[in-house]
Amino acid sequence: MQVIIFDDAQQVAKSAAEWVAELINKKSNPVLGLATGSTPISLYKELVNKHKTGELSFSNTTSFNLDEYLGIDGTNEQSYRHFMNENLFDHVDIDKSKTFLPTCNQGENPREQGLAYEDRIVQAGGVDLQILGIGANGHIGFNEPTSSLASRTRIKTLTQQTLDDNSRLFAADEFQPTLAMTMGIATILDARYVLLMATGKNKAKAVKDMVTGALSAVCPASSLQLHENAIILLDKEAASELDDQEYYLWADKQNCKINLEFGLYHNY
Ligand code: F6R
């Protein structure tokens, strides 16, 4: 794991945007894995700005989102499709027919839908860079604690903690889905690079468990310890429970020197 600690959330977003821009500018048919939630909103703002200033075109990009709620459709304002339109897709030149979310509409078979989503990712050439947030309970995507580390795209029942954490986004009388389709942990680990962003004190315990805890389904994000190219971007608050903060800062300086001397090498 490459743990990089920044002073604040804005710097985390700027750094994540650089990773995305590098991929898109380097590869002719980049495949991006996308996340929703509060954390990546500032990343999407950075990407929209880069597009508006002519630095970045998404015209050749294909995207796959981590998850989508069940029981509401893409026109519902609470759907992750709506979130992606509002925060990114409507403001850049991405071809929406190449933006995918793991949906399962009424009457569709979730197993078939899950397999079809996995298949579509493979057909697109696999995810090059998967953006991730982390739940306060250590979930990635909607892979809640005790999700199989070998899981694939499927339906998950959300935990009470996740429902409580996300209830801030729903009005008191609004339907809050309790089920979602989500990429599995094995699906996420298949990406060539994973870039996890975590900001704020309420993520500090989950970040510690992810980086230095035991590899365990109890903390799904700890599965990233198995990934060859896992980049963890943290603000100081999210990093605050890590024991070796000095080491991560020092290692990052060394990596910057190595990159300067030998050039960035990302094997997309
Ligand atoms: C979102 C997702 C979730 C969130 C996580 C953190 O697509 O898959 O894992 O990344 O719940 O959410 P925020 O950023 O709102 O704290």
Side-chain angles (χ1 to χ4, degrees), residues 35-40 66-67 80 133-135 139-142 168 203:
T36 56
S38 310
T39 315
L66 284 167
D67 38 25
Y80 284 167
I134 184 170
H139 73 210
I140 47 175
F142 272 139
R168 70 187 191 284
K203 300 295 173 66

Side-chain angles (χ1 to χ4, degrees), residues 49-69:
N49 280 341
K50 280 185 186 295
H51 172 67
K52 291 207 162 125
T53 56
E55 246 180 277
L56 201 55
S57 166
F58 291 79
S59 58
N60 294 325
T61 301
T62 301
S63 72
F64 290 92
N65 265 76
L66 284 167
D67 38 25
E68 177 58 290
Y69 284 126

Side-chain angles (χ1 to χ4, degrees), residues 237-248:
E237 290 186 330
S240 60
E241 289 193 29
L242 288 177
D243 290 328
D244 284 325
Q245 290 175 51
E246 285 308 315
Y247 170 73
Y248 300 122

Side-chain angles (χ1 to χ4, degrees), residues 34-41 65-68 80 83 131-137 139-143 162 165-166 168-169 182 197 199 202-203:
L34 296 171
T36 56
S38 310
T39 315
I41 289 178
N65 265 76
L66 284 167
D67 38 25
E68 177 58 290
Y80 284 167
F83 175 99
I131 306 296
L132 295 171
I134 184 170
N137 64 1
H139 73 210
I140 47 175
F142 272 139
N143 295 288
T162 296
D165 287 347
N166 289 351
R168 70 187 191 284
L169 305 167
T182 179
M197 307 167 68
T199 57
N202 66 325
K203 300 295 173 66

